[in-house]
Amino acid sequence: MNIVWFKRDLRVWDHEALATAATEGPVLPLYIVEPSLWAQPDLSARHYAFLTESLEALSASLARLGQPLIIRTGDAVEVLSELAAALDVSAIYAHQETWNGWTYDRDRRVIAWARRAHIAFHEFQQHGVHRAMASRRGWASKWDAMMRQPVTPVPDRLAPVKAHTAPLPTVAELGLDADPCPQRQTGGRSAGIAQLKSFLEERGRGYRFEMSSPVTAPTSCSRLSPYLAFGCLSMREVYHASQRRRQTLREAGAADLTTNTRDRTSWLKSLTSFNSRLHWHCHFIQKLEDEPEAEFRAFHPAYRDWHKDLPDAEQRLLAWQNGRTGYPLVDACMRALATTGWLTFRMRAMVMSFASYHLWLDWRGPALHLARQFVDYEPGIHYSQCQMQSGITGINTIRIYNPVKQSQDQDKAGFFIRQWIPELAAMPHALIHTPWFKPALAPDYPPPLVDEKLARKQAAAQIYAIRRTGSHRRQASLVITRHASRRDGSMAKHRGSRSSQKLAENAALPEHKQMDLKLESP
């Protein structure tokens, strides 16, 4: 008997672990609900709701192959040990997982147990993320090569096995707080396929220019992120679908000169931008693969023991979480996020920047709140971005978003603001971005929590004071060497200084912990 252990790969299409195991004998498809995982501070009931829908869809797909999904609840080592004893398990097949620190430690425990139990443990690469890379050099070429490989076909049939399944535990049984998210995207592969199809054929034409505004982004963005995060869709099949769409557009244009050239050009430019973000997705997860500690500490050593000790930090954090900072676009974003579980990238960057710079909050509190709110929470992307928008990577340009300017640029007419902040419904267009000039028109809306200009200047002064030191530059060069993107063996364009880039090119890769699970003891 072979176990296929599903984790963040909830599909049967392009599932190398399942396809390989099916050629070796009977397969027990298994998902383990781990209460200790759901007790972690970065997870929430909205994640679990999306998961349960995705598991139901996965089980239906497996049932059509002959064997439904088996659900068990408990510690992974204990569950696998019990199944191995009862079913004479010879091997476990799974995809590599680059997720939060808890799952990293769990995987090490499982691999150590399998070794002791003389059970083969086979792991397969899922995304364009590579385990135990000695250097980032050549990473982009490896990504391209993997994505161009054919999609792994679905097994023809799975032989039924005698094993009972357990019901999924409830939110209350897992100890999760109630977390209503009424406009959350629906989980499962069918919903993901529908999003992919509508994006590539209808919604995505204006993606390149409409992805930033919270007014247009909900429609023009792909909205595939939760389906990639939970593995309902594979990165490779999304890449292939986008390439097929690109080819179709080119062939249509070549065959019919009367085809709307402007429309086709818009589509091709948007698909180019979309494909660059598929690379971007794996590039950032690779950072966490190479440095798992990034979930908990700054990439750059200068900021690891840095504390922002404000006496009212807790009150500031709460106001930000609840959309009560007095800055309309920030508050609208936080309220929209609570209801939908999603924000476009620029707005994610802005709310994190505002929390870290203007409110001068330690990055970890806002990062954990956003992790719980984002249905598409992907730790590798999330923590790298939270650090970048907080200025603590030490290598990226300091970008402090002005919430008033962003509001005027991205929601000029105040449509998004009025949608999510009814207190400002009576505010005229001229004041919708600065309601503090006429507070009487919005008596229930709070005044600004901080002075935007003053807070921005104070934050910039403190960050730049740290960055000017020679030790900061030397350490930044090592961060660049370890994490900056490269293409064709050379250093990609980077937003660090030229001197930092030169140092990076000559620096040796420092020793560091990687997710080389097979080489590390538990």
Side-chain angles (χ1 to χ4, degrees), residues 4-18 30-31 51 54-55 58 93-97 124 126-127 227-234:
V4 174
W5 181 18
F6 288 88
K7 293 184 281 186
R8 310 289 291 193
D9 49 358
L10 306 181
R11 63 184 185 276
V12 297
W13 286 264
D14 200 26
H15 199 292
E16 191 175 357
L18 176 64
L30 173 69
Y31 186 86
L51 170 71
S54 300
L55 289 174
L58 171 63
Y93 293 77
H95 275 122
Q96 294 175 354
E97 182 179 36
F124 299 84
Q126 178 170 211
H127 296 314
Y227 304 102
L228 290 170
F230 284 82
C232 304
L233 303 176
S234 79

Side-chain angles (χ1 to χ4, degrees), residues 51 89 171 477:
L51 170 71
V89 172
V171 167
S477 72

Side-chain angles (χ1 to χ4, degrees), residues 331 399 481:
D331 293 342
R399 179 175 294 174
T481 300

Side-chain angles (χ1 to χ4, degrees), residues 207-218 221 277 280 320 329-330 332-334 337 342-355 357 370 374 376 381 385-386 388-390 399-412 416 495:
Y207 173 79
R208 184 176 186 180
F209 301 104
E210 297 177 351
M211 69 172 85
S212 294
S213 170
V215 179
T216 54
C221 284
R277 278 155 181 79
W280 182 93
W320 174 80
L329 187 60
V330 173
C333 284
M334 297 306 291
L337 176 59
W342 185 85
L343 281 177
T344 189
F345 172 74
R346 182 180 287 269
M347 296 300 99
R348 297 184 190 211
M350 182 197 67
V351 297
M352 187 67 203
S353 168
F354 185 83
Y357 292 122
L370 292 176
F374 293 144
D376 59 8
I381 299 172
Q385 284 299 314
C386 286
M388 284 177 64
Q389 307 308 332
S390 301
R399 179 175 294 174
I400 306 178
Y401 287 81
N402 181 331
V404 179
K405 184 179 186 303
Q406 288 298 311
S407 184
Q408 293 166 341
D409 290 347
Q410 304 301 334
D411 187 24
K412 187 174 182 179
F416 180 76
R495 292 178 182 259

Side-chain angles (χ1 to χ4, degrees), residues 376-395:
D376 59 8
Y377 167 53
E378 182 66 73
I381 299 172
H382 182 68
Y383 291 110
S384 291
Q385 284 299 314
C386 286
Q387 290 202 36
M388 284 177 64
Q389 307 308 332
S390 301
I392 59 173
T393 65
I395 64 174

Side-chain angles (χ1 to χ4, degrees), residues 170-243:
T170 65
V171 167
E173 288 171 338
L174 286 176
L176 293 168
D177 293 332
D179 182 26
C181 189
Q183 296 182 33
R184 170 183 60 80
Q185 287 179 261
T186 302
R189 181 174 175 83
S190 294
I193 291 292
Q195 289 286 356
L196 177 60
K197 181 178 175 64
S198 68
F199 173 69
L200 292 178
E201 296 181 1
E202 302 167 15
R203 298 184 291 108
R205 187 184 69 168
Y207 173 79
R208 184 176 186 180
F209 301 104
E210 297 177 351
M211 69 172 85
S212 294
S213 170
V215 179
T216 54
T219 299
S220 296
C221 284
S222 76
R223 306 302 299 272
L224 295 176
S225 52
Y227 304 102
L228 290 170
F230 284 82
C232 304
L233 303 176
S234 79
M235 175 64 69
R236 183 159 50 197
E237 64 181 332
V238 171
Y239 173 80
H240 281 207
S242 69
Q243 294 304 304

Side-chain angles (χ1 to χ4, degrees), residues 30 41 67 83 185 372 377 402 435 458 474 495 512:
L30 173 69
Q67 172 56 52
L83 289 171
Q185 287 179 261
R372 292 187 293 268
Y377 167 53
N402 181 331
Q458 290 176 337
R474 288 190 295 272
R495 292 178 182 259
H512 60 277

